[in-house]
């Protein structure tokens, strides 16, 4: 049987995504011949360069302004065309037209697909010094087949955010296990029938993915060119069944997060907790402005008492695209943004990131409370306690967008009809597997 171009591309992508998750010494700064970021900078070539940067972080313009003030020959023009999956789609469309930006923020789970499609550029030669700022596990999210495809920006362990004032008003204790969390949800409905401990969000799969990671799920695995998809495995079903019980009992709300209704509920005290990434303080000011100083952070409830394992929700890298005419200068900015002390300090203050770079986690700015949490000076100390136990999937699949769309469609239907969450997982499994086979991947 002849091998079609589509199958050749799929096989090549499989090789990159499967074998490429192992770091090599070259990717960790070993080996010779790599250029440092900025070796081809405008100051050397004599011309001024303007780089375009796609990023959705609030207040990133303030951080970029610091770079522009100190680098008159390499200016960065920031735009926010979309966020998350929408930005990925725009990057692919722009690349197909040859009109991509120079740099783009990309969530870790989306990077493998962009590598396979040739949208982002190998920047190994420009980051020989930069990669030394990261531990092996963090850097693994951006290294494929020994090549660096992005500079990690942040890590986002899942945490439990709760309203301290309302917990005190209703006599609630901060739950440390999922059994205690369910009991607290029931207790709250008894003492405050109009309030809910949280909501089940079928619109954004990020939080659910993190909960599956905490439970030990691995949705994708690869052996050579052969893939295994295990989205509806026992660990994820345990998570789905837990939340189905809470929804069915009416113990939690079931409207989507980040909607006008949810914003109002977060602001007026209808919802008492939010399971979110460590980046939540940067968002709460816009979501629930009346609640400043009323929230605190705690570790995510555990399945087994004393277990500190958590998942992640988000975490991103700054990538240089294949369309950039100035990859050295772009890589230099990406390195500065995510490893320079002043840049990271500005990001902590303006965006509330928890830095991916090891040195960034020791910055003095992390000894103070985020602006929206003035009541919790140990906020980042609490994050630091669980960060080493945060687990992601060992690898992300090549079609995460299909999987996430399946989550939104399947769980939304289940919420509306009272259908089975397990059935929704099975549908996601089938859709993700079928799409990979359609692309030419071997799925065993």
């Amino acid at each position: 049987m002849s091998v079609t171009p589509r199958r050749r591309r799929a096989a090549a992508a499989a090789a990159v995504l499967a074998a490429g998750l192992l770091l090599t010494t070259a990717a960790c700064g070993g080996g010779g011949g790599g250029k440092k970021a900025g070796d081809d900078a405008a100051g050397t070539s004599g011309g001024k360069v303007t780089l375009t940067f796609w990023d959705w972080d609030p207040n990133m313009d303030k951080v970029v302004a610091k770079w522009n003030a100190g680098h008159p020959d390499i200016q960065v023009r920031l735009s926010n065309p979309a966020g998350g999956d929408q930005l990925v789609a725009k990057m692919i469309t722009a690349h197909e037209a040859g009109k991509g930006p120079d740099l783009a923020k990309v969530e870790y789970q989306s990077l493998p697909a962009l590598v396979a499609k040739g949208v982002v550029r190998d920047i190994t030669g420009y980051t020989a010094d930069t990669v030394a700022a990261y531990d092996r596990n963090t850097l693994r999210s951006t290294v494929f087949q020994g090549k660096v495809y992005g500079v990690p920006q942040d890590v986002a362990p899942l945490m439990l955010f709760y309203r301290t004032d309302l917990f005190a008003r209703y006599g609630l204790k901060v739950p440390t296990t999922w059994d205690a969390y369910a009991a607290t949800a029931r207790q709250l409905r008894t003492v405050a029938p109009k309030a809910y401990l949280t909501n089940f969000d079928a619109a954004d799969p990020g939080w659910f993915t993190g909960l599956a990671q905490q439970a030990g799920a691995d949705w994708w695995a690869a052996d050579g060119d052969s893939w295994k998809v295990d989205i509806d495995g026992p660990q994820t079903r345990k998570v789905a069944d837990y939340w189905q019980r809470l929804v069915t009992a009416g113990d939690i709300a079931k409207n989507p997060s980040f909607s006008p209704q949810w914003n109002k509920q977060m602001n007026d005290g209808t919802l008492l907790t939010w399971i979110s990434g460590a980046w939540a303080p940067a968002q709460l000011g816009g979501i629930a402005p009346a609640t400043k100083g009323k929230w605190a952070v705690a570790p995510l409830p555990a399945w087994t008492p004393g277990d500190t394992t958590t998942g992640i929700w988000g975490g991103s890298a700054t990538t240089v695209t294949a369309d950039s005419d100035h990859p050295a200068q772009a890589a230099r900015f990406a390195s500065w943004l995510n490893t320079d002390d002043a840049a990271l300090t500005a990001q902590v203050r303006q965006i509330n990131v928890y830095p991916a770079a090891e040195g960034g986690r020791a910055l003095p700015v992390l000894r103070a409370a985020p602006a929206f949490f003035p009541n919790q000076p140990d906020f980042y100390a609490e994050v630091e306690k669980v960060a080493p136990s945060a687990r992601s999937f060992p690898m992300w699949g090549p079609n995460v967008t299909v999987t996430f769309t399946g989550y939104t469609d399947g769980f939304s239907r289940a919420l509306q009809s009272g259908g089975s969450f397990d059935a929704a997982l099975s549908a996601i499994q089938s859709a993700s597997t079928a799409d990979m086979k359609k692309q030419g991947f071997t799925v065993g």
Side-chain angles (χ1 to χ4, degrees):
M1 181 178 67
S2 64
V3 180
T4 66
R6 176 172 62 85
R7 288 187 177 276
R8 284 197 297 268
R9 289 194 299 269
V16 170
L17 297 177
L21 289 175
L22 299 176
L23 291 175
T24 66
T25 54
C28 292
K35 290 178 287 185
K36 297 180 182 179
D39 280 355
D40 294 333
T44 301
S45 62
K48 181 177 179 180
V49 168
T50 298
L51 305 172
T52 55
F53 178 28
W54 288 2
D55 183 282
W56 65 85
D57 286 313
N59 297 320
M60 179 55 80
D61 59 314
K62 297 180 176 64
V63 184
V64 169
K66 288 183 175 292
W67 167 271
N68 286 339
H71 300 82
D73 291 335
I74 308 175
Q75 293 289 284
V76 175
R77 185 172 65 242
L78 179 69
S79 66
N80 179 5
D85 291 343
Q86 289 182 324
L87 185 64
V88 169
K90 286 182 179 291
M91 288 178 66
I92 294 171
T93 300
H95 174 64
E96 290 172 348
K99 297 181 179 179
D102 293 283
L103 299 122
K105 177 186 175 85
V106 174
E107 291 179 307
Y108 296 133
Q109 73 269 13
S110 300
L111 190 53
L114 293 175
V115 171
K117 292 178 183 293
V119 177
V120 296
R121 181 188 295 266
D122 169 15
I123 55 173
T124 309
Y126 305 114
T127 55
D129 291 340
T130 303
V131 295
Y134 297 93
D135 62 62
R136 186 180 182 90
N137 286 336
T138 301
L139 189 60
R140 188 173 72 171
S141 299
T142 62
V143 175
F144 306 96
Q145 213 168 22
K147 298 177 181 179
V148 180
Y149 286 90
V151 182
Q153 178 191 26
D154 64 327
V155 291
L158 273 185
M159 309 290 292
L160 179 67
F161 296 87
Y162 66 98
R163 284 283 300 270
T164 56
D165 56 331
L166 299 182
F167 264 64
R169 178 188 302 176
Y170 300 132
L172 306 178
K173 294 183 179 180
V174 179
T176 59
T177 67
W178 286 117
D179 284 343
Y181 189 87
T184 303
R186 291 191 294 272
Q187 179 186 353
L188 175 62
R189 297 292 290 150
T190 299
V191 299
K194 294 184 179 180
Y196 295 93
L197 196 59
T198 194
N199 63 303
F200 185 90
D201 182 9
D204 192 321
W207 74 290
F208 186 87
T209 303
L211 293 178
Q213 292 165 351
Q214 182 201 31
D218 291 327
W219 284 6
W220 294 276
D223 183 7
D225 290 346
S226 180
W227 287 76
K228 179 182 178 182
V229 182
D230 191 29
I231 295 169
D232 64 349
Q235 297 92 342
T236 309
R237 286 183 181 271
K238 177 173 74 171
V239 175
D241 292 345
Y242 173 87
W243 289 96
Q244 176 124 56
R245 288 192 295 271
L246 290 177
V247 168
T248 301
D251 291 336
I252 61 172
K254 54 182 183 180
N255 52 290
S257 302
F258 304 106
S259 64
Q261 178 189 8
W262 181 78
N263 288 355
K264 181 178 183 300
Q265 292 173 332
M266 291 284 283
N267 200 49
D268 66 17
T270 300
L271 298 175
L272 272 67
T273 72
W274 185 22
I275 296 165
S276 188
W279 41 260
Q283 304 297 325
L284 280 169
I287 293 166
T291 65
K292 181 177 181 180
K294 298 179 180 180
W295 293 88
V297 68
L300 196 66
W303 289 106
T304 303
D307 184 8
T308 60
T309 302
T310 186
I312 66 166
W313 184 0
S316 303
T318 308
T319 64
V320 178
T321 76
D323 295 318
S324 177
D325 292 327
H326 310 288
Q329 294 92 331
R332 182 180 173 187
F333 169 75
S335 296
W336 173 87
L337 180 67
N338 298 311
T339 64
D340 181 84
D341 285 354
L344 288 174
T345 297
Q347 287 195 70
V348 172
R349 286 176 175 160
Q350 301 294 342
I351 306 171
N352 287 127
V353 303
Y354 186 67
E358 288 188 278
R361 301 176 192 178
L363 290 171
V365 68
L366 293 179
R367 298 178 193 143
F372 204 76
F373 282 55
N375 55 308
Q376 193 174 18
D378 65 341
F379 176 91
Y380 288 110
E382 289 297 311
V383 176
E384 186 176 16
K385 289 178 184 178
V386 303
S389 300
R391 75 177 297 270
S392 181
F393 298 134
M395 63 189 311
W396 292 88
N399 60 343
V400 170
T401 301
V402 171
T403 301
F404 281 8
T405 298
Y407 172 89
T408 301
D409 293 344
F411 278 87
S412 293
R413 284 195 298 268
L415 283 180
Q416 292 168 6
S417 66
S420 166
F421 284 9
D422 281 353
L425 285 178
S426 295
I428 301 169
Q429 169 85 15
S430 297
S432 299
T433 301
D435 179 74
M436 288 180 67
K437 290 179 177 178
K438 182 180 179 181
Q439 292 187 48
F441 291 94
T442 300
V443 182

